[in-house]
């Protein structure tokens, strides 16, 4: 039974509906014609029972007169003459003890007569019909012969109403059976014709009203499932199939709204199955590969982006499906020989209603600008570091000569200005040091002249005093220069 039900579930709607219609019509027409045949059968049977009652009554009336006259030969002649009536099979006259007095067909009568019916007639003195042999073509009527006032002349020793004998009449029912068989065949043939005509007509009507609209909607649903959301769903009625079509249209509209959101995302978004076949790709993703969205569907994702992670364990999408996790990686895409795009991409597993992983969602970000900025930053840092290393080696004449982008132009200007200020300050400090050195030499020379003689002491002291004043002035100047250098160094460091 389960195997049969499984086979039935696999059948298309175009087969199931005619099957249901056929079975239903067979049951309805079969039941109707069976009841009709049985009704006609009962009518024919009742008609035959009425016939045998009437025939039996006529025979009994015909034999009654002869019995009253005591002419049993006449009674026997009447009974024997009934054999010429084609519908009558046998007529028998039985005594009260159920012995056969006379019969038109003794052999058949002996075969047909049944003791239980005779006993029933004897006990209730009423007519009884034996229908048990009806389907064999015969029914038998048991008619009691009772004594009445007219019989007292010959049977004064028996009370009125006592059972004198039993008259049995058997008639053929073959005409009914034949008619019943003919009716059954005719009605069965008509039933089958009606079944096929009704099934065909109902199938055509059902096909036009139900099957064709459902097939059209199923075909549209398959096209929509394939990714074509522009497929038109044809609605030809306002019944349940029309409502189903309207619901399908609303569902497609909602899906389109969701897809439109993904289509408007400026970076690539795609979904793949477990074999890396693209099931959906937004316009941004298709543009990277130089393809349309329709051309992307069915292609392998690694044939479109061609990153250095494709077909390796580094692939974030492969990791996402394998580990049931969201994975992000950086890679270099090479969609065509002349294009290399630094990307950061994220893979997330997709699951069905059973929680089984059936594919992945991939989101790709073009990080070319970030990558270029990082490279530029690295270059700027290296250039500034080179100049600062020269400054650390007391070479303040080095300057940043190359042009930087707008982002780093101000940094270049400030570094060069700081180095210039430091160079000037260090020059002033060197000049001050030289002046201090010269003053020290003069002091030493004055001290030597003082040691040479006391005569020159007075003039020497005056010169020393003058030199000391000059040295004091120079010292103050050096202090100011040093302070200025300190300020400039502070500015440069900020």
């Amino acid at each position: 039974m389960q195997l049969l039900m499984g086979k039935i579930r696999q059948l298309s709607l175009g087969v199931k509906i005619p099957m249901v219609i056929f079975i239903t019509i067979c049951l309805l027409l079969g039941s109707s014609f069976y009841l009709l045949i049985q009704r006609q059968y009962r009518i024919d049977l009742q008609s035959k029972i009425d016939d045998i009652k009437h025939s039996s009554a006529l025979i009994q009336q015909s034999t009654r007169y002869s019995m009253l006259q005591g002419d049993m030969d006449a009674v026997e002649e009447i009974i024997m003459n009934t054999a010429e009536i084609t519908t009558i099979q046998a007529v028998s006259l039985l005594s009260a003890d159920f012995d056969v007095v006379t019969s038109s067909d003794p052999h058949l009568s002996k075969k047909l007569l049944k003791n239980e019916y005779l006993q029933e007639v004897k006990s209730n003195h009423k007519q009884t019909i034996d229908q048990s042999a009806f389907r064999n073509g015969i029914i038998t009527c048991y008619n009691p012969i009772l004594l009445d006032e007219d019989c007292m002349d010959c049977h004064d020793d028996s009370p009125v109403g006592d059972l004198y004998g039993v008259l049995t009449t058997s008639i053929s029912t073959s005409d009914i059976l034949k008619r019943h068989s003919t009716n059954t065949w005719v009605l069965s043939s008509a039933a089958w014709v009606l079944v096929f005509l009704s099934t065909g007509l109902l199938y055509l009507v059902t096909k036009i009203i139900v099957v064709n609209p459902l097939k059209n909607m199923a075909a549209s649903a398959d096209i929509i499932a394939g990714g074509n959301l522009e497929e038109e769903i044809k609605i030809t009625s306002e019944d349940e199939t029309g409502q189903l079509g309207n619901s399908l249209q609303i569902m497609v509209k909602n899906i389109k709204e969701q897809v439109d959101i993904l289509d408007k995302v400026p970076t690539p978004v795609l979904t793949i199955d477990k074999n890396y076949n693209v099931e959906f790709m937004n316009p941004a993703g298709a543009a990277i590969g130089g393809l349309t969205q329709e051309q992307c569907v069915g292609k392998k994702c690694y044939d479109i982006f061609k990153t250095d992670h494709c077909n390796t364990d580094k692939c974030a999408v492969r990791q996402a499906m394998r580990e049931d996790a969201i994975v992000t990686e950086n890679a270099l895409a090479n969609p065509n020989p002349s294009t290399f795009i630094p990307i950061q991409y994220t893979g997330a597993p997709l699951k069905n209603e059973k929680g089984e992983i059936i594919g992945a969602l991939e989101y790709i970000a073009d990080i070319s600008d970030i990558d270029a900025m990082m490279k530029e930053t690295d270059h700027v840092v290296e250039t500034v570091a080179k100049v600062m290393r020269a400054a650390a080696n007391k070479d303040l004449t080095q300057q940043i000569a190359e042009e930087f982008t707008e982002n780093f132009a101000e940094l270049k200007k400030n570094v060069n200005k700081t180095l210039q200020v430091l160079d000037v300050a260090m020059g002033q400090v060197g000049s001050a040091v030289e002046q201090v050195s010269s003053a020290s030499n003069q002091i030493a020379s004055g001290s030597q002249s003082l040691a040479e003689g006391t005569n020159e002491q007075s003039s020497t002291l005056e010169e020393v005093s003058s030199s000391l004043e000059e040295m004091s002035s120079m010292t103050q100047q050096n202090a100011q220069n040093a302070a200025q250098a300190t300020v400039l160094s502070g500015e440069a460091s900020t």
Side-chain angles (χ1 to χ4, degrees):
M1 180 61 71
Q2 291 181 351
L3 180 61
L4 176 62
M5 294 304 296
K7 294 291 185 182
I8 293 175
R9 281 194 290 269
Q10 293 175 3
L11 297 175
S12 66
L13 195 62
V15 175
K16 289 179 181 177
I17 289 180
M19 183 186 295
V20 172
I21 292 175
F22 180 78
I23 294 174
T24 302
I25 292 178
C26 283
L27 291 174
L28 290 176
L29 288 180
S31 301
S32 300
F33 283 122
Y34 174 78
L35 294 175
L36 182 62
I37 291 171
Q38 290 300 314
R39 181 176 180 274
Q40 186 61 44
Y41 174 79
R42 288 193 296 271
I43 291 173
D44 290 343
L45 176 61
Q46 187 60 47
S47 175
K48 187 60 71 172
I49 290 173
D50 293 340
D51 287 346
I52 197 173
K53 286 181 179 179
H54 179 68
S55 298
S56 181
L58 288 176
I59 294 170
Q60 186 172 357
Q61 288 177 2
S62 298
T63 57
R64 175 180 171 77
Y65 178 77
S66 297
M67 287 182 181
L68 291 175
Q69 297 298 322
D71 189 358
M72 295 305 296
D73 291 336
V75 171
E76 183 178 357
E77 183 180 357
I78 292 171
I79 291 175
M80 296 304 293
N81 288 336
T82 59
E84 298 177 2
I85 303 174
T86 57
T87 57
I88 296 178
Q89 297 293 304
V91 176
S92 300
L93 177 63
L94 309 180
S95 66
D97 296 327
F98 308 138
D99 294 326
V100 177
V101 178
T102 184
S103 175
S104 62
D105 191 339
H107 178 72
L108 182 62
S109 295
K110 185 177 181 180
K111 182 179 179 181
L112 293 176
L113 296 179
K114 295 182 179 179
N115 186 61
E116 62 266 24
Y117 290 101
L118 293 171
Q119 293 296 333
E120 183 179 347
V121 170
K122 184 177 182 178
S123 62
N124 56 29
H125 293 180
K126 291 183 180 181
Q127 188 182 68
T128 300
I129 305 295
D130 176 15
Q131 302 179 35
S132 61
F134 176 81
R135 295 195 178 280
N136 292 327
I138 296 176
I139 59 174
T140 301
C141 177
Y142 295 82
N143 216 26
I145 300 174
L146 304 177
L147 296 174
D148 56 15
E149 295 291 342
D150 295 333
C151 300
M152 292 298 99
D153 294 339
C154 299
H155 301 280
D156 54 357
D157 57 338
S158 299
V160 175
D162 195 12
L163 182 68
Y164 174 70
V166 178
L167 180 67
T168 66
T169 305
S170 299
I171 64 174
S172 172
T173 61
S174 58
D175 57 332
I176 294 178
L177 295 176
K178 183 177 181 180
R179 185 164 59 249
H180 178 70
S181 176
T182 301
N183 290 342
T184 301
W185 184 87
V186 170
L187 290 176
S188 298
S189 300
W192 281 111
V193 172
L194 286 175
V195 164
F196 285 109
L197 289 177
S198 301
T199 301
L201 180 61
L202 288 175
Y203 173 68
L204 290 176
V205 173
T206 306
K207 184 176 181 181
I208 294 172
I209 297 175
V210 179
V211 176
N212 286 346
L214 288 178
K215 277 187 174 180
N216 292 334
M217 280 189 279
S220 298
D222 288 339
I223 294 173
I224 292 168
N228 184 7
L229 297 180
E230 301 302 325
E231 171 67 14
E232 180 183 359
I233 300 173
K234 297 179 181 179
I235 300 174
T236 57
S237 64
E238 296 181 359
D239 55 11
E240 286 77 2
T241 56
Q243 295 173 5
L244 178 61
N246 288 326
S247 298
L248 191 58
Q249 281 185 334
I250 294 173
M251 181 184 70
V252 172
K253 179 182 176 182
N254 294 333
I255 294 174
K256 287 177 67 175
E257 290 176 353
Q258 298 298 321
V259 172
D260 285 343
I261 294 175
L262 294 177
D263 284 347
K264 292 175 182 177
V265 174
T267 55
V269 177
L270 65 149
T271 60
I272 61 171
D273 61 19
K274 294 186 71 174
N275 296 318
Y276 305 97
N277 296 308
V278 174
E279 294 181 334
F280 167 79
M281 178 86 75
N282 71 344
I288 288 182
L291 303 171
T292 64
Q293 287 181 275
E294 291 76 15
Q295 290 173 331
C296 290
V297 174
K299 286 184 174 292
K300 302 291 185 181
C301 60
Y302 50 74
D303 288 335
I304 297 176
F305 297 107
K306 302 174 184 175
T307 73
D308 52 341
H309 285 186
C310 289
N311 293 316
T312 70
D313 289 336
K314 291 183 179 181
C315 174
V317 176
R318 177 179 294 185
Q319 295 180 63
M321 290 191 291
R322 184 180 63 230
E323 300 172 7
D324 189 12
I326 298 174
V327 181
T328 299
E329 295 283 355
N330 291 346
L332 184 64
N334 181 209
N336 58 69
S338 61
T339 304
F340 293 89
I341 306 172
I343 62 171
Q344 182 179 81
Y345 67 108
T346 299
L350 295 177
K351 302 179 181 179
N352 59 16
E353 64 276 5
K354 297 179 181 179
E356 300 169 340
I357 295 176
I358 59 173
L361 170 70
E362 186 174 356
Y363 174 84
I364 301 173
D366 184 348
I367 58 172
S368 298
D369 293 340
I370 298 174
D371 187 66
M373 183 174 291
M374 291 180 64
K375 289 181 179 179
E376 182 182 11
T377 301
D378 292 340
H379 178 67
V380 169
V381 169
E382 178 61 29
T383 302
V384 173
K386 180 179 178 181
V387 173
M388 296 308 293
R389 283 195 296 270
N393 292 326
K394 302 179 181 181
D395 183 4
L396 299 177
T397 61
Q398 294 286 339
Q399 293 283 302
I400 300 174
E402 64 179 280
E403 293 296 328
F404 287 167
T405 60
E406 184 178 351
N407 295 327
F408 298 103
E410 187 66 22
L411 174 62
K412 170 190 172 182
K413 178 181 176 182
N414 291 334
V415 169
N416 287 342
K417 184 177 179 180
T418 299
L419 291 173
Q420 290 173 356
V421 171
L422 285 174
D423 187 37
V424 172
M426 292 305 294
Q428 291 176 350
V429 170
S431 177
V433 170
E434 289 179 358
Q435 291 178 6
V436 170
S437 176
S438 177
S440 298
N441 290 333
Q442 290 178 6
I443 293 172
S445 177
S447 298
Q448 185 177 1
S449 297
L450 181 62
E452 291 178 353
T454 57
N455 292 331
E456 298 176 358
Q457 184 176 6
S458 177
S459 58
T460 301
L461 287 174
E462 290 177 1
E463 290 177 1
V464 170
S465 176
S466 175
S467 297
L468 289 174
E469 289 177 1
E470 185 179 353
M471 182 177 66
S472 176
S473 175
M474 291 176 64
T475 301
Q476 291 178 357
Q477 182 64 40
N478 289 336
Q480 292 176 359
N481 291 337
Q484 185 178 0
T486 302
V487 171
L488 291 174
S489 299
E491 293 177 355
S493 62
T494 60

